[in-house]
Amino acid sequence: MSATVVRLVNGGVSLVLTSRDHHLPVVSHWGTVLAPDDDLTDVLTPQFVSDQTERLIECSLVPEEARGWLGTPGLAGHRSGRSSTHAFTVTGVDADDHRATFHASDAGLDLTLTVGLTAEGVVELSAELTNTGDDPFTLDSLTPALRVPLRARELLDFTGRHLRERSPQRHPFAVGTVRRDSRRGRTGLQSTTLMIAGEPGFGFQEGRTWGLHVAWSGNHTHLAERAHGGEQILAGGECLLPGEVVLAPGESYRTPALLYSFGVGLDELSARYHAWLRRQHEARRPAGRRPRPITLNTWEAVYFAHDLDNLVELAEVAAKVGVERFVLDDGWFGSRRDDTAGLGDWEVSADVWPGGLEPLADAVRGLGMEFGLWVEPEMINLDSDLARAHPEWILGPPGRLPLRVRNQHVLNLAHPDAYAHIASRLSDLVARLGISYLKWDHNRDLIEAAGPQGERLVHAQTLAYYRLLDELHERFGDLEIESCASGGGRIDLGVLTRTDRVWASDCNDPLERQEIQRWTGLLLPPEFIGAHVGPARAHTTGRTHSLTFRAGTAVFGHFGIEWDLRSANAGQLERLTAWVARAKELRGLLATGRTVRTADRDGTRVHGVVGDDRAVFAVVQLASSPTYPTGPVTFPGLDPDARWRVTLDELTPAPDLVWAAEPRVLSGRALAEAGLAAPTLYPEHLAIIHLERSES
Ligand code: DGJ
């Protein structure tokens, strides 16, 4: 038996792949770096047991039935019902320390597996299938996999809904499949975002964890599967709809990138994804990453009530408190006076904006701010000029419209004329108004997304959307785009390599945001997560919170405001101005530092961002504590041997604590292990603590 072993080592992680007898490679090790001479070739080979195939099961990167894997197949497809089983032979391997490409073939099919291990320690896995046969090959699914060690006995995935995105769910990693499909035509409010397997009891700093993210904004799946033979995998890819991908002879299909991260504790796993995304952005914006501008979004301030004088007044107050970007939300175009009409008509409404948007855009710029605009390019209301002119551009099965959501339907971007129309409307707007920022919304799931023959089009729609983003980026290099979809419904690393931030949720209630931002932040660095200060009474929950809690929550994301500041009193504006200044002081740290979290204890949560020379933490009282006072809290992630000066932020309540009155200098080790007495806080309040590296 021959074996080809590929050892990838990068970013503090190693991945060892073994291909036996030219079969597709199997993961021998994925995790901490092993010694270069550690040879795992035979030491992990199990012994034969009863009821086993004549060869041991090979659970490869594309698990095959032909190699004894009887779980979810890595590849499913056929030629009109024929040629539906596959046994690939590796025909060539190109590898260096960081990347390997396996070329394999089976009758009429070529398969290329690309595995990269990035400088951050993220495994990038993708597969490309080419039809080398003479007749069409219908691809049902191609979902590559990485095997994870058996000591991963627990799973963490996420669910969500409008206003409550990314709620964690923990389960045992038992025999069977935990499969999280998202068939919404967009990433989805309920999409899991990550599928994580870990050692029992894993936490933010403890326990080995192995995670998968599928970087795709259309239908997709993440699955964790444990077979009765003991193999267990994390697999994923696109959820293809029937007949969506039929490869003609010579055609290829490539999976989305599967991004895997390993970490001892979730913070390390998360830090790898953060570093990966930051590097992509640096590459996209060669001029360098600038500080994230403080943003005001008009949605909760005025909703559809657009009026030049009111909005100029709002812009004036915004500029005074220190806002740097003013974004005009939904309602500026066509007949869009509420959510029943106008989507698709991307012309400035002459009724509401008789002088065009220029007077507002000019006023905003005159106040020293950038001007941003809301769009929802893939959508259409039946009550619109576009729908009346081109009903054939609406996605749906022949002779029938799909169910409506928020009074709207979806445009078929795979239709060349529809695509060209939308691309030119967007380009004209950006060029004519000098727009530097688009808030790109997508307020419904795709249901029965089909073309005129009933052909399913989610795959094509997703590719067309990416193409549109890429073309806009090409034409307007400085244009920034926010990915929004009813809040956090299009958050994935496929879209985020083409956009600049996300709107994590339509919920601005800081108590809900503590959860939403914490779990969205497992994948995304804080500067990518839009977080706004709303009015005292949250529009989406009816809860009332102090400005400190609202702003002290938003300051841990890309800080913004979504509040009609014309109704704020002088005291509120003064304190908001101070918070805006604080956000500006902290944004450099936030955009480069490492996010750390602790498990909640007695209603208290600690989270922070740690840089080389400074760090900022929030101590958040989510609920009342059963003990009183709450006791010490600890601060993970600091250089343990460095000394850190501790100060309490003057914008948060001053507790009667010795360390708050007389700033102390402690080692990172003491802060992580012994901690500090927590400020006693009302429930739904927080304190912010700054740490500065000290030479004393
Ligand atoms: C949903 C978004 O998440 C909101 O912020 C707002 O832009 C509305 N759509 C506008 O329709």
Side-chain angles (χ1 to χ4, degrees):
M1 193 182 279
S2 71
T4 304
V5 180
V6 171
R7 291 184 183 79
L8 305 181
V9 184
N10 210 359
V13 172
S14 105
L15 178 69
V16 183
L17 301 167
T18 308
S19 160
R20 287 170 185 277
D21 291 341
H22 306 286
H23 294 177
L24 295 181
V26 171
V27 174
S28 303
H29 172 74
W30 168 30
T32 39
V33 177
L34 307 178
D37 54 357
D38 277 330
D39 182 1
L40 301 175
T41 316
D42 293 315
V43 294
L44 298 171
T45 308
Q47 71 183 72
F48 272 99
V49 291
S50 55
D51 189 30
Q52 181 130 16
T53 51
E54 62 177 296
R55 269 185 78 125
L56 291 165
I57 297 168
E58 286 172 273
C59 176
S60 73
L61 301 193
V62 177
E64 298 161 294
E65 186 181 337
R67 310 294 183 213
W69 170 257
L70 303 181
T72 303
L75 167 66
H78 57 94
R79 298 177 194 273
S80 303
R82 295 176 293 107
S83 310
S84 67
T85 76
H86 316 284
F88 283 92
T89 301
V90 173
T91 52
V93 184
D94 307 316
D96 60 27
D97 286 352
H98 303 156
R99 200 160 201 85
T101 307
F102 295 86
H103 304 277
S105 64
D106 185 31
L109 292 173
D110 276 358
L111 179 67
T112 304
L113 295 172
T114 310
V115 196
L117 183 52
T118 70
E120 304 80 22
V122 169
V123 178
E124 300 173 335
L125 172 62
S126 63
E128 183 168 307
L129 186 74
T130 302
N131 181 6
T132 55
D134 298 328
D135 47 359
F137 182 80
T138 301
L139 180 63
D140 294 332
S141 65
L142 181 53
T143 48
L146 282 193
R147 206 168 74 166
V148 291
L150 277 176
R151 59 182 157 177
R153 304 280 1 104
E154 281 179 23
L155 293 173
L156 171 65
D157 66 344
F158 299 88
T159 182
R161 63 159 171 90
H162 188 220
L163 308 172
R164 182 72 144 94
E165 292 85 346
R166 282 160 288 285
S167 301
Q169 328 187 100
R170 279 197 71 150
H171 353 230
F173 195 168
V175 170
T177 309
V178 175
R179 184 179 174 115
R180 297 296 315 283
D181 289 347
S182 186
R183 297 170 181 274
R184 310 274 171 148
R186 55 180 181 178
T187 322
L189 293 161
Q190 83 314 321
S191 160
T192 184
T193 311
L194 283 162
M195 176 70 80
I196 296 167
E199 291 181 320
F202 68 86
F204 292 111
Q205 283 87 44
E206 323 69 41
R208 287 172 184 73
T209 55
W210 295 263
L212 165 64
H213 168 75
V214 177
W216 188 247
S217 311
N219 290 346
H220 64 282
T221 192
H222 289 77
L223 69 89
E225 183 158 303
R226 181 170 199 227
H228 71 279
E231 296 80 9
Q232 52 187 32
I233 57 170
L234 293 179
E238 204 176 345
C239 267
L240 295 173
L241 295 171
E244 224 176 9
V245 175
V246 180
L247 298 175
E251 279 186 349
S252 300
Y253 166 86
R254 192 183 174 84
T255 64
L258 273 62
L259 300 173
Y260 290 89
S261 180
F262 164 78
V264 179
L266 290 169
D267 281 353
E268 189 175 283
L269 172 147
S270 167
R272 291 204 156 93
Y273 283 124
H274 291 188
W276 184 92
L277 183 59
R278 285 173 174 163
R279 181 168 55 81
Q280 308 297 322
H281 273 255
E282 269 148 32
R284 260 185 90 223
R285 299 212 176 277
R289 296 199 311 147
R290 61 188 185 119
R292 297 282 171 158
I294 308 292
T295 299
L296 181 135
N297 186 284
T298 62
W299 180 240
E300 286 200 355
V302 299
Y303 291 105
F304 288 106
H306 286 202
D307 172 87
L308 175 63
D309 293 341
N310 288 342
L311 285 163
V312 170
E313 205 185 317
L314 179 59
E316 284 166 354
V317 190
K320 275 197 196 119
V321 302
V323 169
E324 298 162 314
R325 173 184 281 155
F326 186 92
V327 181
L328 182 67
D329 210 286
D330 196 356
W332 56 268
F333 52 92
S335 54
R336 186 77 169 169
R337 301 295 77 80
D338 57 29
D339 67 12
T340 61
L343 274 178
D345 298 340
W346 302 109
E347 297 295 343
V348 179
S349 162
D351 296 341
V352 188
W353 296 98
L357 284 180
E358 285 82 355
L360 179 65
D362 291 346
V364 164
R365 287 193 202 103
L367 289 161
M369 297 182 288
E370 295 172 20
F371 183 66
L373 196 62
W374 179 95
V375 287
E376 196 179 3
E378 293 125 298
M379 295 296 156
I380 185 163
N381 286 125
L382 292 186
D383 185 359
S384 67
D385 293 343
L386 188 67
R388 283 182 281 273
H390 289 290
E392 77 283 8
W393 288 358
I394 302 175
L395 281 173
R400 165 162 75 75
L401 280 171
L403 293 171
R404 256 181 313 169
V405 183
R406 207 193 186 206
N407 307 304
Q408 65 198 57
H409 288 284
V410 186
L411 271 177
N412 178 1
L413 282 191
H415 189 300
D417 298 340
Y419 179 93
H421 174 80
I422 291 298
S424 92
R425 293 264 70 70
L426 287 173
S427 293
D428 287 357
L429 271 173
V430 173
R432 190 157 39 83
L433 291 167
I435 289 165
S436 58
Y437 186 79
L438 285 177
K439 174 177 176 183
W440 188 306
D441 212 338
H442 186 290
N443 281 304
R444 62 159 294 169
D445 292 331
L446 270 56
I447 299 173
E448 292 192 292
Q453 313 301 322
E455 70 278 20
R456 308 308 301 267
L457 286 175
V458 172
H459 174 72
Q461 180 84 356
T462 311
L463 291 177
Y465 165 60
Y466 283 166
R467 177 152 74 95
L468 194 49
L469 291 173
D470 291 343
E471 285 178 6
L472 282 170
H473 181 65
E474 189 105 324
R475 173 144 185 224
F476 306 100
D478 293 334
L479 176 70
E480 290 185 33
I481 297 179
E482 166 176 352
S483 175
C484 171
S486 321
R490 192 144 66 180
I491 294 185
D492 63 81
L493 296 180
V495 74
L496 271 160
T497 50
R498 298 171 165 92
T499 53
D500 298 277
R501 76 163 211 174
V502 300
W503 183 225
S505 177
D506 275 351
C507 184
N508 288 320
D509 174 329
L511 186 62
E512 302 289 331
R513 277 287 183 145
Q514 284 291 334
E515 283 297 291
I516 294 166
Q517 291 174 204
R518 159 168 287 209
W519 297 114
T520 304
L522 217 48
L523 184 69
L524 300 192
E527 73 275 17
F528 286 81
I529 302 177
H532 294 175
V533 179
R537 185 166 189 274
H539 289 195
T540 50
T541 62
R543 286 197 197 102
T544 299
H545 290 110
S546 68
L547 181 56
T548 308
F549 194 43
R550 280 139 58 213
T553 300
V555 87
F556 282 90
H558 176 181
F559 189 92
I561 297 166
E562 199 153 329
W563 174 10
D564 188 354
L565 296 179
R566 295 170 311 152
S567 64
N569 63 35
Q572 289 170 327
L573 290 177
E574 193 183 324
R575 280 182 295 123
L576 184 60
T577 307
W579 274 107
V580 168
R582 181 70 74 254
K584 289 178 183 170
E585 279 160 29
L586 290 175
R587 63 186 165 189
L589 169 62
L590 248 77
T592 51
R594 180 180 166 121
T595 301
V596 292
R597 309 114 178 135
T598 67
D600 298 346
R601 178 188 52 78
D602 296 336
T604 312
R605 161 175 301 183
V606 177
H607 65 91
V609 178
V610 176
D612 290 341
D613 297 321
R614 60 180 181 139
V616 59
F617 280 86
V619 179
V620 188
Q621 200 63 46
L622 298 165
S624 62
S625 166
T627 63
Y628 194 58
T630 11
V633 283
T634 52
F635 302 87
L638 299 159
D639 177 348
D641 298 319
R643 299 187 61 75
W644 299 87
R645 177 176 305 280
V646 184
T647 51
L648 192 77
D649 196 304
E650 66 202 24
L651 296 176
T652 59
D656 187 10
L657 286 168
V658 180
W659 66 260
E662 300 160 22
R664 295 300 170 101
V665 176
L666 288 165
S667 72
R669 186 167 285 108
L671 287 160
E673 300 299 328
L676 297 170
T680 298
L681 295 161
Y682 289 138
E684 300 173 23
H685 282 69
L686 56 72
I688 289 189
I689 292 168
H690 300 276
L691 296 147
E692 239 175 285
R693 194 184 273 263
S694 161
E695 296 314 319
S696 55

